[in-house]
Amino acid sequence: MNLQILWYGLVGLLLAGYFILEGYDYGIGILLPFLSKDDRERRMLLNAMGPFWLGNETWLVAAFGAMFAAFPRWYGTFLSSMYGFVLLLIFSLILRGAALEFRSHRTGKRWRGFWDLVICGGSIVPGLVWGVIAAALVQGLPLDAQLRFVGTPWQLLTPLALLWGLTFIVLFALQGALFLRLRVDAAITMRVERAARRIWIPALFLVVLLAIGGAFVSQAMLRLLAVPWIAPLSMLVPLLLFIAGQLIQRQRWWWALIATSLSMLCGVCTLAMSLFPHLLVSSLQPAWSLTVERAAAAPSSLVLLTWVALIFLPIIIAYQALGYWIFRKRLHMESRLHY
């Protein structure tokens, strides 16, 4: 059981790393049409995330890989239930990656404008999809006794799912603006600062609204009030966003980025702890829900996976940290741009 809890926590941490790191990539794509005035500035924004976006997506691959290896029944039930939305997520990531590469192959205004719209759309769609997934986790899925999804995809498009999706989009935009402020040093910097100052208040409002609205429709959210150590953790999410806003006003950009990142981490931890020991909750009958114990792989498999993770996870983290160190310099108008 200890290894099952360990891998449950590891999947959560991998997803938190994905939201924090890939979140600013999405944020830059979302803000792309609003911050740039010409092609040179758009190229600067794209090159700000250029060396990192592929490495950031590794966290999502690792999270799904850990889910498949440690909790194969969770992986199978989750993907079969959310099949269309997961495909939409993957398709949007493929299009966004293709757009980043294709836009620089020609200099035509229409050509680059089209791919810029694809990048923006490919950054908005993942936020909406993750909103549907998060709402399905806290509200439950129509699963029968054999863990078969017996509903329709349209049932998952609830008002709570849309609220989750909008919250993800705004948080990603805030994360992107803060990252750009630390990465770009040009005339566009003032616009990035204004964007950060304008976004943090809606982000805080949506997080509070989500907590209030979710408490009325979700047993997992109600559990926050019943378990003593979860409620303080959940309060850290809006508190850290409020602190980030104050740091933005004082132009403490590094600390503001750290505060928003910690807020996302606390949000993922809160959701994971409020669901535990469930992985998927059946909205038809609570007894049919999938628990950590039912979904876990054999103990011998978990032991082997733990040794593999102890060897390769530090290598992946070190490799990505090295990339951030190598490309740590700010981009200027005179910088050589790839995208």
Side-chain angles (χ1 to χ4, degrees):
M1 188 62 185
N2 290 333
L3 285 180
Q4 294 172 3
I5 296 174
L6 172 66
W7 277 93
Y8 180 71
L10 182 59
V11 172
L13 288 176
L14 289 171
L15 285 174
Y18 163 75
F19 289 130
I20 292 170
L21 297 175
E22 187 70 359
Y24 74 71
D25 287 348
Y26 293 148
I28 293 173
I30 293 168
L31 295 172
L32 184 64
F34 308 102
L35 294 181
S36 54
K37 291 184 176 180
D38 54 41
D39 185 65
R40 179 69 181 182
E41 291 184 348
R42 283 190 287 275
R43 293 186 67 196
M44 286 192 66
L45 295 182
L46 296 177
N47 277 268
M49 67 175 182
F52 313 121
W53 67 274
L54 276 175
N56 295 340
E57 289 185 354
T58 304
W59 290 81
L60 180 62
V61 176
F64 277 114
M67 184 191 299
F68 171 75
F71 303 101
R73 205 171 184 185
W74 181 22
Y75 181 86
T77 305
F78 170 78
L79 285 186
S80 62
S81 303
M82 310 290 298
Y83 190 75
F85 293 103
V86 173
L87 276 181
L88 182 61
L89 173 64
I90 294 173
F91 186 64
S92 66
L93 295 180
I94 292 173
L95 277 180
R96 191 182 67 133
L100 285 169
E101 296 297 333
F102 288 162
R103 78 174 305 277
S104 61
H105 287 190
R106 291 171 58 181
T107 58
K109 186 175 181 180
R110 290 185 178 179
W111 172 267
R112 292 192 171 182
F114 169 76
W115 291 116
D116 289 341
L117 289 177
V118 172
I119 293 171
C120 183
S123 301
I124 292 174
V125 169
L128 296 175
V129 172
W130 281 111
V132 174
I133 293 173
L137 290 176
V138 298
Q139 287 183 289
L141 291 165
L143 302 175
D144 63 13
Q146 287 74 42
L147 294 175
R148 292 175 301 195
F149 182 76
V150 294
T152 64
W154 305 111
Q155 289 180 252
L156 304 179
L157 295 175
T158 62
L160 183 63
L162 298 178
L163 180 59
W164 269 101
L166 183 59
T167 304
F168 273 118
I169 291 172
V170 175
L171 286 175
F172 290 159
L174 177 60
Q175 194 81 344
L178 293 174
F179 180 80
L180 282 173
R181 178 57 183 79
L182 298 170
R183 184 87 174 110
V184 177
D185 188 10
I188 199 173
T189 303
M190 298 300 295
R191 270 171 269 150
V192 173
E193 291 182 1
R194 285 197 299 268
R197 292 191 180 97
R198 291 172 179 173
I199 294 172
W200 80 269
I201 295 178
L204 178 60
F205 172 78
L206 286 170
V207 167
V208 173
L209 182 62
L210 185 63
I212 296 173
F216 289 98
V217 297
S218 168
Q219 293 297 320
M221 300 292 281
L222 287 174
R223 193 164 177 263
L224 299 178
L225 304 175
V227 181
W229 61 83
I230 300 180
L233 182 63
S234 66
M235 293 297 294
L236 284 176
V237 180
L239 177 60
L240 285 167
L241 280 177
F242 177 79
I243 293 173
Q246 302 309 305
L247 292 169
I248 289 171
Q249 300 300 330
R250 292 170 172 79
Q251 298 191 6
R252 305 290 296 275
W253 303 106
W254 263 114
W255 287 106
L257 182 61
I258 292 173
T260 57
S261 299
L262 289 176
S263 177
M264 290 184 179
L265 175 62
C266 290
V268 173
C269 292
T270 298
L271 180 60
M273 293 176 67
S274 62
L275 287 172
F276 187 83
H278 298 100
L279 296 173
L280 294 173
V281 178
S282 174
S283 59
L284 303 179
Q285 177 58 255
W288 296 342
S289 300
L290 181 64
T291 63
V292 170
E293 188 174 3
R294 289 178 62 191
S300 57
S301 300
L302 292 178
V303 171
L304 177 61
L305 287 172
T306 303
W307 283 108
V308 171
L310 287 173
I311 295 172
F312 288 101
L313 191 57
I315 295 175
I316 295 173
I317 294 174
Y319 173 79
Q320 193 163 17
L322 179 63
Y324 277 92
W325 175 255
I326 292 173
F327 295 101
R328 65 188 183 278
K329 292 184 178 180
R330 290 173 177 263
L331 292 176
H332 303 269
M333 293 301 293
E334 299 79 17
S335 300
R336 182 179 179 182
L337 304 178
H338 170 70
Y339 294 105

